[in-house]
Amino acid sequence: MFSSTRKSSSELEDEKKNNVGDLGFSEVASDELATHEFIAEYADEYNPQGLAIATLEDKFKYRNVKTRPTIAAMLILICEFAERGSYYGTQGILTNFIMRSLPEGSTTGKVMPGHTGNAGALGLGLKDANALVTLLQFLAYVCPLFGGYLADDRLGKFKAIMIGVWVGILSHLLFVIAALPPVIAKGQAALAPTVLAILSLSVCTGFIKANLLPLMLDQYPYSTNVLRREPTGEVVYVDRDGSMERLTMIFYWSINIGAFLQIATSYSAKRVGYWLAFLCPMLMYCIVVIAMLIIRPHLKPEVPQGSLLKKAVIVVTECLKGNFIKRLKNKEFWAYAYPSNMESRGVPAEKIKWTEQEVKDYKSTFTQCLMFAYWVIFNLSDSGLGSTLTAQAGAMTSQGIPNDFFNNFNQITIVVAIPILDYIIYPVFSKYKINFKPVYKIFVGFMLGALGSMVSAILQWRIYKTSPCGYYATNCDEPSPLTAWYAIINYGLCALGECFCYTTAYEIAYTRAPDNGKGLVMALFLFNSAISSAISEGISGALYDPNLIKPFAGIAGVGGLCAFLFLFQYWNLDKVMEEEERERVASKQELGQLEKAEIQSLVRVISK
C-alpha cells in the first residue's frame, strides 16, 4: 500500500536539492542553464549538451575564469620574439653600418682596442643611410598588407609565417655577406646585397607580422563567452574577451622582449664586427624553424576561405549604386546589398554570391579601418617626429651615456607594466566589478601618449632656457645642465599608453574581423605605422631650432583632442562588438543546421 503521508514543500525542496545525478552535481544545478542555447561541439562528460552560450548577466552571476594559453600558442611566441629581435636588432645598427666608414685599423666594422668612436662599414654618409633605413621602416608596415591578404586567400597563416621565416634567414644571410671584410673593402659594391637584404627583411616582416597574432589567437578553444560546468559541479563563466586580452598582452610583452636584441647586436658590431651582429638574428630564425615544425601537428587545422577583399569590392560596388549618399545619411548604405533587399528589387537569387552576414562583416571591417586612423596620431606621440626625441636627449647632460640609449626604456616599461596590468590591476577591476571597457583603455592610452608629448614640450622649453646656446641647443657643443634621464619620462608614458591602446587594438582587430579577413585586418592596423612614418619623414626637414617646442606641443594638443573624440565616437563600442559576435554565432549555427539538413537529405536519397 502507498503511504498517505504527504511531504511538506520544504521537504520536497530539500529532496530536490539533494537529488544528485550520476555526474556528481544536483539536477537543480542543471536546470539553471535550461534557458540557454548550447554549442554541441564542446560537449564532454560534464557538459553533455555542450557549453552554454553566456549572456552579459552571466558575467556577473558566475565566477569568471580565463583559459590558459596552450603550449602551441606559447611556442608561437618564439617566432614573434625572433622577428622583432631581427627587425629592431638590424634597424638599430643599420644607420652606422651604411653611414660611417670603417674605424681605423678595422676590417669588420668593429672599434679596435684602444680606440674610441662608433662602429661603421660602408661610409656612404647620412643621406644614403637615412634613405635606406626609412625605406625599411616604411616597407615593414606596408608588406603586411600582402602577407595578410595571401594568408587569408590561399596560403593559410602557418604557411605564410614559414615563408616569412625562410625569407628572414635569406635576408640575414645577405646582410652577413655584405658585412664580410672582402665585401666591405669594395665600398659601394657592398650596397647591392645590403639593399636586397633590406627588401627581403621587409617581406619577412610582412608575412610574419600580419599573421602571427591571428594564428596564436586562433588556438583559443571557444568561439564566444560560454558557461562551463567544472568537475566539482560549479558553473563558471569562461571569459573569452578576458582570455583574448591576456593572450594579446603576452604577445605584446614578447615583442618588447625581442626588441632587447638591439643591445646585443650593437655591442656585437662594436666589439666583434657586423658579420656577427647580422648572424645572431639569422641563428634565431633557424631555431624558429625547428619550433614551428614541432608545434604544427598541435595547431588547429586551417583551410583558407578566400580573402574577403575580392567579394568586398563587388559588395561595395553594389552599395554605390543608386542614391547612395541618401542611404549613407540614413545609415542604410550596407543594407542595400543584403540579399533579401536585392531580391525585393528583382535581382535573381542565383546572381547573389554573398550572404547577409558577409555584408555585415564587410561593414565591420570598413568601420575598423576608419577607427584605426586614430592610431596615426598616437604613433607620432609614441615615437616622436623624426629623431626629435633622440636629439632632445643629446642636448642634455648624459654623463657619457649614448643619447640613443634612453629609447630602451620604452621596452623596459612595457615588459614591467604588462604583468602588473594582467595579474594585479585588471583582476582588481574584475573583483570589484569595474567594467574597464575597451574604449576606456584606448582613451587612457591616447591620453598617456599626449601627456608624454606635453612633457617633452616642457622639457624642450627648459633646455632652451638652460642651454649655453639658448634656443639653438640641439647642436650646441656644451649641453644643457639638465640631466638626460628626464628623457625617460616621455618613453615611459608612451610605453604605458601602448599597454592600454595597442594591446586593445590588436584584440579588437582580431575579434571583429571575419574568419577570412583576420590577417588582412591586422595588416590594415599595422599600416597606420607606415602612414605615421611617412608623415614624420615628410616634416622632418622643418624640425630645427628654435622651433622644437611647437611640434611637441602640437602633437600633445591633437593627441588629447583625438582621445576625447574617440571616447565620444566609440562610447558604445563594446555593445557593438557584442552584437556583432551574437550575429556571427547565430549565422554559424544556422549555416551548420542547413549543412546538417542537406547531409540528412542526401543520406535519405542514397538509402532509397
Side-chain angles (χ1 to χ4, degrees):
M1 295 180 62
F2 294 98
S3 171
S4 60
T5 305
R6 299 183 61 182
K7 297 180 181 179
S8 67
S9 59
S10 61
E11 289 175 327
L12 288 170
E13 187 67 25
D14 290 340
E15 182 178 289
K16 192 174 182 180
K17 288 181 178 179
N18 293 324
N19 187 7
V20 178
D22 294 335
L23 294 177
F25 48 82
S26 67
E27 292 181 1
V28 174
S30 63
D31 290 342
E32 64 184 322
L33 303 181
T35 59
H36 289 71
E37 296 182 21
F38 290 81
I39 305 178
E41 64 180 290
Y42 302 135
D44 58 28
E45 60 176 318
Y46 303 108
N47 301 273
Q49 293 180 269
L51 297 183
I53 299 176
T55 63
L56 183 61
E57 293 75 20
D58 293 330
K59 183 178 178 67
F60 302 100
K61 182 178 179 182
Y62 299 100
R63 181 169 65 89
N64 286 208
V65 297
K66 298 178 182 178
T67 58
R68 294 181 177 179
T70 63
I71 298 298
M74 296 303 294
L75 287 176
I76 289 173
L77 294 178
I78 295 177
C79 187
E80 178 59 15
F81 174 82
E83 187 275 325
R84 286 292 86 184
S86 164
Y87 176 77
Y88 285 112
T90 301
Q91 181 190 358
I93 62 175
L94 199 56
T95 298
N96 283 342
F97 178 76
I98 299 170
M99 179 181 70
R100 299 183 185 278
S101 300
L102 284 170
E104 183 180 353
S106 174
T107 59
T108 62
K110 72 175 183 177
V111 178
M112 300 302 289
H115 292 73
T116 59
N118 295 293
L122 304 186
L124 299 180
L126 180 60
K127 183 179 179 180
D128 288 345
N130 275 340
L132 291 174
V133 172
T134 301
L135 177 67
L136 172 61
Q137 293 171 340
F138 182 76
L139 290 180
Y141 290 103
V142 172
C143 289
L145 292 173
F146 301 101
Y149 169 78
L150 290 174
D152 292 335
D153 188 57
R154 61 190 65 185
L155 293 177
K157 301 179 187 67
F158 183 86
K159 287 183 179 179
I161 291 169
M162 289 305 297
I163 289 173
V165 171
W166 285 113
V167 173
I169 293 175
L170 173 63
S171 171
H172 286 285
L173 180 60
L174 289 169
F175 274 125
V176 171
I177 292 173
L180 293 175
V183 181
I184 292 177
K186 294 181 180 180
Q188 287 197 350
L191 190 60
T194 302
V195 172
L196 289 174
I198 288 173
L199 295 176
S200 56
L201 184 61
S202 301
V203 173
C204 159
T205 301
F207 275 82
I208 295 176
K209 190 69 176 171
N211 298 301
L212 200 63
L213 179 60
L215 178 65
M216 179 181 173
L217 296 180
D218 280 347
Q219 307 315 306
Y220 184 78
Y222 309 130
S223 60
T224 185
N225 298 317
V226 295
L227 297 179
R228 184 181 67 202
R229 192 180 306 281
E230 303 288 82
T232 60
E234 179 191 12
V235 175
V236 296
Y237 178 93
V238 183
D239 188 357
R240 181 179 186 269
D241 301 330
S243 300
M244 289 291 188
E245 177 186 75
R246 171 167 289 179
L247 285 170
T248 305
M249 295 188 77
I250 293 173
F251 175 84
Y252 204 68
W253 183 83
S254 71
I255 288 177
N256 289 275
I257 288 289
F260 282 120
L261 188 63
Q262 178 180 346
I263 299 174
T265 56
S266 295
Y267 275 95
S268 296
K270 190 169 184 176
R271 303 300 184 193
V272 180
Y274 280 103
W275 66 269
L276 178 61
F278 292 130
L279 181 64
C280 290
M282 188 178 84
L283 295 177
M284 290 187 61
Y285 273 130
C286 293
I287 298 173
V288 168
V289 171
I290 298 172
M292 294 297 283
L293 292 177
I294 290 174
I295 66 174
R296 184 174 186 177
H298 304 286
L299 297 176
K300 285 185 177 181
E302 55 173 340
V303 180
Q305 303 174 27
S307 176
L308 60 78
L309 193 59
K310 298 177 182 177
K311 198 179 292 185
V313 172
I314 302 174
V315 170
V316 171
T317 302
E318 180 67 28
C319 291
L320 290 173
K321 293 179 179 179
N323 192 357
F324 69 90
I325 296 178
K326 181 179 179 181
R327 294 198 302 275
L328 277 171
K329 292 180 180 178
N330 296 331
K331 298 182 178 181
E332 297 176 351
F333 177 79
W334 295 95
Y336 191 77
Y338 287 170
S340 56
N341 292 339
M342 293 180 66
E343 290 177 14
S344 66
R345 296 196 303 271
V347 179
E350 59 271 13
K351 291 187 176 182
I352 304 173
K353 304 300 183 181
W354 55 83
T355 64
E356 183 172 324
Q357 183 57 47
E358 285 179 311
V359 178
K360 292 178 179 179
D361 288 339
Y362 304 149
K363 176 185 177 182
S364 173
T365 301
F366 182 77
T367 55
Q368 280 198 87
C369 293
L370 295 178
M371 183 181 73
F372 291 156
Y374 280 95
W375 272 260
V376 173
I377 303 300
F378 176 80
N379 291 336
L380 294 176
S381 298
D382 191 22
S383 58
L385 290 169
S387 302
T388 50
L389 290 176
T390 303
Q392 186 181 76
M396 296 183 284
T397 301
S398 62
Q399 296 179 339
I401 299 174
N403 62 331
D404 58 359
F405 166 80
F406 299 100
N407 60 16
N408 287 293
F409 279 86
N410 179 283
Q411 292 96 310
I412 293 172
T413 302
I414 291 172
V415 168
V416 173
I418 281 182
I420 294 174
L421 289 172
D422 193 27
Y423 291 100
I424 299 176
I425 304 298
Y426 290 159
V428 169
F429 285 174
S430 179
K431 179 179 179 180
Y432 291 100
K433 303 188 185 307
I434 299 174
N435 186 15
F436 196 40
K437 302 192 297 183
V439 68
Y440 296 160
K441 296 175 185 176
I442 295 170
F443 171 76
V444 170
F446 285 174
M447 287 302 296
L448 286 169
L451 183 60
S453 292
M454 185 180 72
V455 169
S456 293
I458 296 172
L459 189 56
Q460 187 66 48
W461 170 71
R462 289 297 301 150
I463 290 171
Y464 283 156
K465 289 296 184 182
T466 57
S467 172
C469 299
Y471 278 74
Y472 294 88
T474 301
N475 296 315
C476 187
D477 292 334
E478 186 178 346
S480 164
L482 293 174
T483 176
W485 287 99
Y486 282 131
I488 69 174
I489 299 175
N490 175 287
Y491 290 116
L493 288 172
C494 290
L496 285 175
E498 289 182 45
C499 293
F500 287 102
C501 70
Y502 251 91
T503 55
T504 307
Y506 280 142
E507 181 186 347
I508 291 174
Y510 178 84
T511 55
R512 292 190 71 186
D515 292 340
N516 62 338
K518 294 188 183 299
L520 180 62
V521 172
M522 188 67 67
L524 288 169
F525 172 69
L526 295 171
F527 183 67
N528 289 286
S529 295
I531 298 175
S532 300
S533 296
I535 293 173
S536 178
E537 183 66 21
I539 66 175
S540 61
L543 301 174
Y544 52 82
D545 293 327
N547 302 315
L548 291 179
I549 298 175
K550 295 177 182 178
F552 289 122
I555 294 174
V558 175
L561 176 63
C562 287
F564 282 98
L565 287 176
F566 186 91
L567 186 66
F568 174 78
Q569 184 176 356
Y570 295 101
W571 181 261
N572 293 319
L573 178 62
D574 57 319
K575 295 180 181 178
V576 172
M577 292 172 61
E578 288 172 6
E579 181 61 28
E580 289 174 350
E581 186 61 31
R582 279 195 292 267
E583 289 176 350
R584 272 200 197 99
V585 171
S587 177
K588 288 180 180 179
Q589 289 180 330
E590 182 180 353
L591 182 62
Q593 291 172 356
L594 289 174
E595 291 177 348
K596 184 178 180 181
E598 289 177 359
I599 292 172
Q600 291 175 344
S601 176
L602 182 62
V603 169
R604 285 196 295 268
V605 170
I606 294 173
S607 63
K608 289 181 180 180

